[in-house]
Amino acid sequence: AAPAAAGAQEYLYVGNSLGGDISVISIPGHKVVRTIPESVVGNHPDDVIASHNGDVLYISRLDVNDVIAVSTATEQMLWRVEVPGVPNHLTLSPDEQFLYVPIYDTGLLAVVDTKTHQVVTTLEVGKGPHGTQLGPSGKHLYIGNMESNDVAVVEVGTHRLEKRIPLPEGVRPFQISRDEKYLYAQLSKLHGFVIVDLTSGSVVRMVALLTDGKTLLEATLGMSHYVMNHGLGISPDGKYLVANGSLIGLTAIYSMPDLQLLGTVPVGREPNWVAFSRDSRFVYVSNRRDNTLSVISIPERKEVARLKVGEFPQRM
């Protein structure tokens, strides 16, 4: 086993997009214990997700249009597969047989068989597919489209596009409620997020994010790539929703399901992603403009550590 695997039970893997490596963080020690180097990863990693038992990392790479699998025991590449365009945020099927890869520039969803390491099918899902989420029932995959301003719903197993749900703007990070009745989504030009009723397919509420007295800047290509907020997560215990205010360096904590604001926490520059410890005590925010990771205690509603990671940290 790699040194990172000695004496601990839980790790956070932080993809450093411009550095081409992955920082390995121990939980709850909150130390950078190892780096999976550029020689293994490289090529502008966009997303990193784990198998259900944590033995494999799946990483999408923008510069070479592929997905690689990396062993967390050896921290070496197991296999790679080319995909038909620029891959974004990944999701595994419930049985882990299929890896769903949205292809941003071609409007496709590529389905990769994790056993044969082949793309077994592709389907058109909209323009600019970016984020993916598996519904809690395991029956549906949701794909957020940045350019066609909608969410595609695909039936797991048959890989059939069931419907597309229109939204007011480009869909950025989103989450699904535990009962799969609601979808929470950040939109490109909205400082906040919307709640979508998945039965009716309509927006039923908009939650505005506070600024805490900071001036809200305009989203440009140089400032958060035309998106106001990026990073939204629901804690494993279902009690909290956490949302990043990317242009003002702020993270907000809400109670679930009533969405009462419990507190805001200053973080680093341009927070980009949200991940949780398994016990829901800590939430982690990648700050991509200052190459740091904010460790936030949810019970205390405050940042308890800020760690230096690699260059341009994004997904975790």
Side-chain angles (χ1 to χ4, degrees), residues 1-9 11 13 24 33-34 36 54-55 71-76:
Q9 299 296 314
Y11 296 94
Y13 292 85
V24 186
V33 294
R34 189 166 172 82
I36 302 177
D55 61 340
S71 164
T72 56
T74 66
E75 295 180 354
Q76 296 298 313

mmCIF file of all heavy atoms in Angstrom, residues 1-9 11 13 24 33-34 36 54-55 71-76:
data_model
loop_
_atom_site.group_PDB
_atom_site.id
_atom_site.type_symbol
_atom_site.label_atom_id
_atom_site.label_comp_id
_atom_site.label_asym_id
_atom_site.label_seq_id
_atom_site.Cartn_x
_atom_site.Cartn_y
_atom_site.Cartn_z
ATOM 1 N N ALA A 1 0.842 -1.190 0.000
ATOM 2 C CA ALA A 1 0.000 0.000 0.000
ATOM 3 C C ALA A 1 0.878 1.240 0.000
ATOM 4 O O ALA A 1 1.995 1.236 0.497
ATOM 5 C CB ALA A 1 -0.907 0.001 1.226
ATOM 6 N N ALA A 2 0.344 2.307 -0.578
ATOM 7 C CA ALA A 2 1.054 3.575 -0.565
ATOM 8 C C ALA A 2 1.128 4.109 0.855
ATOM 9 O O ALA A 2 0.309 3.761 1.711
ATOM 10 C CB ALA A 2 0.325 4.569 -1.472
ATOM 11 N N PRO A 3 2.109 4.968 1.145
ATOM 12 C CA PRO A 3 2.232 5.515 2.513
ATOM 13 C C PRO A 3 0.963 6.163 3.023
ATOM 14 O O PRO A 3 0.661 6.118 4.203
ATOM 15 C CB PRO A 3 3.369 6.543 2.356
ATOM 16 C CG PRO A 3 4.192 6.017 1.225
ATOM 17 C CD PRO A 3 3.212 5.378 0.279
ATOM 18 N N ALA A 4 0.169 6.754 2.121
ATOM 19 C CA ALA A 4 -1.066 7.421 2.554
ATOM 20 C C ALA A 4 -2.048 6.449 3.181
ATOM 21 O O ALA A 4 -2.914 6.834 3.959
ATOM 22 C CB ALA A 4 -1.712 8.122 1.369
ATOM 23 N N ALA A 5 -1.935 5.175 2.882
ATOM 24 C CA ALA A 5 -2.926 4.211 3.355
ATOM 25 C C ALA A 5 -2.612 3.670 4.745
ATOM 26 O O ALA A 5 -3.370 2.892 5.296
ATOM 27 C CB ALA A 5 -3.015 3.052 2.369
ATOM 28 N N ALA A 6 -1.483 4.086 5.307
ATOM 29 C CA ALA A 6 -1.075 3.529 6.597
ATOM 30 C C ALA A 6 -1.727 4.279 7.748
ATOM 31 O O ALA A 6 -1.571 5.482 7.885
ATOM 32 C CB ALA A 6 0.446 3.586 6.735
ATOM 33 N N GLY A 7 -2.491 3.589 8.556
ATOM 34 C CA GLY A 7 -2.947 4.116 9.840
ATOM 35 C C GLY A 7 -4.095 5.090 9.792
ATOM 36 O O GLY A 7 -4.355 5.772 10.769
ATOM 37 N N ALA A 8 -4.811 5.204 8.694
ATOM 38 C CA ALA A 8 -5.957 6.104 8.646
ATOM 39 C C ALA A 8 -7.082 5.439 7.877
ATOM 40 O O ALA A 8 -6.874 4.464 7.164
ATOM 41 C CB ALA A 8 -5.579 7.432 8.004
ATOM 42 N N GLN A 9 -8.287 5.964 8.035
ATOM 43 C CA GLN A 9 -9.465 5.331 7.456
ATOM 44 C C GLN A 9 -10.108 6.141 6.343
ATOM 45 O O GLN A 9 -10.855 5.604 5.561
ATOM 46 C CB GLN A 9 -10.503 5.079 8.559
ATOM 47 C CG GLN A 9 -10.027 4.159 9.659
ATOM 48 C CD GLN A 9 -9.734 2.772 9.157
ATOM 49 O OE1 GLN A 9 -10.511 2.181 8.417
ATOM 50 N NE2 GLN A 9 -8.588 2.228 9.536
ATOM 51 N N TYR A 11 -9.792 9.542 3.468
ATOM 52 C CA TYR A 11 -8.974 10.505 2.762
ATOM 53 C C TYR A 11 -9.829 11.348 1.838
ATOM 54 O O TYR A 11 -10.857 10.900 1.341
ATOM 55 C CB TYR A 11 -7.890 9.802 1.928
ATOM 56 C CG TYR A 11 -6.892 9.049 2.764
ATOM 57 C CD1 TYR A 11 -7.066 7.698 3.013
ATOM 58 C CD2 TYR A 11 -5.794 9.692 3.330
ATOM 59 C CE1 TYR A 11 -6.180 6.997 3.796
ATOM 60 C CE2 TYR A 11 -4.898 9.004 4.127
ATOM 61 C CZ TYR A 11 -5.087 7.648 4.352
ATOM 62 O OH TYR A 11 -4.215 6.958 5.144
ATOM 63 N N TYR A 13 -9.397 13.400 -1.732
ATOM 64 C CA TYR A 13 -8.541 13.532 -2.906
ATOM 65 C C TYR A 13 -8.915 14.818 -3.643
ATOM 66 O O TYR A 13 -10.055 14.983 -4.067
ATOM 67 C CB TYR A 13 -8.701 12.317 -3.820
ATOM 68 C CG TYR A 13 -8.155 11.046 -3.206
ATOM 69 C CD1 TYR A 13 -8.935 10.273 -2.349
ATOM 70 C CD2 TYR A 13 -6.852 10.644 -3.452
ATOM 71 C CE1 TYR A 13 -8.438 9.116 -1.765
ATOM 72 C CE2 TYR A 13 -6.342 9.486 -2.874
ATOM 73 C CZ TYR A 13 -7.140 8.730 -2.035
ATOM 74 O OH TYR A 13 -6.630 7.590 -1.460
ATOM 75 N N VAL A 24 -3.561 14.435 -1.423
ATOM 76 C CA VAL A 24 -4.244 13.460 -0.579
ATOM 77 C C VAL A 24 -4.269 13.999 0.850
ATOM 78 O O VAL A 24 -3.224 14.236 1.456
ATOM 79 C CB VAL A 24 -3.544 12.089 -0.618
ATOM 80 C CG1 VAL A 24 -4.362 11.054 0.147
ATOM 81 C CG2 VAL A 24 -3.333 11.633 -2.066
ATOM 82 N N VAL A 33 -0.954 14.432 3.220
ATOM 83 C CA VAL A 33 -0.076 13.308 3.529
ATOM 84 C C VAL A 33 0.655 12.780 2.306
ATOM 85 O O VAL A 33 1.646 12.053 2.441
ATOM 86 C CB VAL A 33 -0.861 12.162 4.208
ATOM 87 C CG1 VAL A 33 -1.362 12.599 5.575
ATOM 88 C CG2 VAL A 33 -2.009 11.684 3.340
ATOM 89 N N ARG A 34 0.177 13.132 1.118
ATOM 90 C CA ARG A 34 0.819 12.603 -0.080
ATOM 91 C C ARG A 34 0.270 13.337 -1.302
ATOM 92 O O ARG A 34 -0.800 13.946 -1.250
ATOM 93 C CB ARG A 34 0.551 11.096 -0.214
ATOM 94 C CG ARG A 34 1.367 10.409 -1.309
ATOM 95 C CD ARG A 34 1.318 8.900 -1.158
ATOM 96 N NE ARG A 34 1.930 8.220 -2.294
ATOM 97 C CZ ARG A 34 3.232 8.028 -2.440
ATOM 98 N NH1 ARG A 34 4.058 8.500 -1.518
ATOM 99 N NH2 ARG A 34 3.704 7.391 -3.493
ATOM 100 N N ILE A 36 -0.404 12.435 -5.451
ATOM 101 C CA ILE A 36 -0.327 11.571 -6.626
ATOM 102 C C ILE A 36 0.207 12.450 -7.749
ATOM 103 O O ILE A 36 -0.434 13.424 -8.137
ATOM 104 C CB ILE A 36 -1.693 10.970 -6.982
ATOM 105 C CG1 ILE A 36 -2.258 10.175 -5.792
ATOM 106 C CG2 ILE A 36 -1.574 10.065 -8.199
ATOM 107 C CD1 ILE A 36 -3.637 9.609 -6.025
ATOM 108 N N GLY A 54 -13.657 3.057 -2.225
ATOM 109 C CA GLY A 54 -12.461 3.885 -2.191
ATOM 110 C C GLY A 54 -11.212 3.262 -2.767
ATOM 111 O O GLY A 54 -10.122 3.814 -2.599
ATOM 112 N N ASP A 55 -11.317 2.152 -3.483
ATOM 113 C CA ASP A 55 -10.105 1.511 -3.990
ATOM 114 C C ASP A 55 -9.654 2.054 -5.340
ATOM 115 O O ASP A 55 -8.515 1.838 -5.756
ATOM 116 C CB ASP A 55 -10.270 -0.013 -4.068
ATOM 117 C CG ASP A 55 -11.402 -0.424 -5.017
ATOM 118 O OD1 ASP A 55 -12.267 0.415 -5.308
ATOM 119 O OD2 ASP A 55 -11.401 -1.595 -5.440
ATOM 120 N N SER A 71 -5.422 3.323 -8.972
ATOM 121 C CA SER A 71 -5.533 2.569 -7.730
ATOM 122 C C SER A 71 -5.131 3.456 -6.556
ATOM 123 O O SER A 71 -4.079 4.109 -6.592
ATOM 124 C CB SER A 71 -4.623 1.339 -7.778
ATOM 125 O OG SER A 71 -4.433 0.794 -6.483
ATOM 126 N N THR A 72 -5.946 3.470 -5.494
ATOM 127 C CA THR A 72 -5.553 4.229 -4.309
ATOM 128 C C THR A 72 -4.539 3.470 -3.455
ATOM 129 O O THR A 72 -3.902 4.049 -2.587
ATOM 130 C CB THR A 72 -6.775 4.588 -3.445
ATOM 131 O OG1 THR A 72 -7.485 3.386 -3.103
ATOM 132 C CG2 THR A 72 -7.707 5.526 -4.179
ATOM 133 N N ALA A 73 -4.382 2.172 -3.698
ATOM 134 C CA ALA A 73 -3.385 1.389 -2.961
ATOM 135 C C ALA A 73 -1.978 1.619 -3.517
ATOM 136 O O ALA A 73 -1.039 1.869 -2.773
ATOM 137 C CB ALA A 73 -3.730 -0.100 -3.012
ATOM 138 N N THR A 74 -1.864 1.567 -4.847
ATOM 139 C CA THR A 74 -0.546 1.741 -5.471
ATOM 140 C C THR A 74 -0.325 3.150 -5.998
ATOM 141 O O THR A 74 0.805 3.534 -6.276
ATOM 142 C CB THR A 74 -0.384 0.767 -6.645
ATOM 143 O OG1 THR A 74 -1.322 1.115 -7.675
ATOM 144 C CG2 THR A 74 -0.617 -0.668 -6.197
ATOM 145 N N GLU A 75 -1.429 3.912 -6.163
ATOM 146 C CA GLU A 75 -1.398 5.248 -6.748
ATOM 147 C C GLU A 75 -0.775 5.228 -8.142
ATOM 148 O O GLU A 75 -0.039 6.130 -8.539
ATOM 149 C CB GLU A 75 -0.707 6.244 -5.806
ATOM 150 C CG GLU A 75 -1.526 6.415 -4.526
ATOM 151 C CD GLU A 75 -0.947 7.385 -3.522
ATOM 152 O OE1 GLU A 75 0.172 7.870 -3.733
ATOM 153 O OE2 GLU A 75 -1.627 7.651 -2.513
ATOM 154 N N GLN A 76 -1.096 4.177 -8.902
ATOM 155 C CA GLN A 76 -0.674 4.028 -10.288
ATOM 156 C C GLN A 76 -1.910 3.847 -11.178
ATOM 157 O O GLN A 76 -2.952 3.390 -10.714
ATOM 158 C CB GLN A 76 0.259 2.821 -10.445
ATOM 159 C CG GLN A 76 1.572 2.958 -9.689
ATOM 160 C CD GLN A 76 2.415 4.130 -10.181
ATOM 161 O OE1 GLN A 76 2.597 4.316 -11.393
ATOM 162 N NE2 GLN A 76 2.921 4.931 -9.259
#
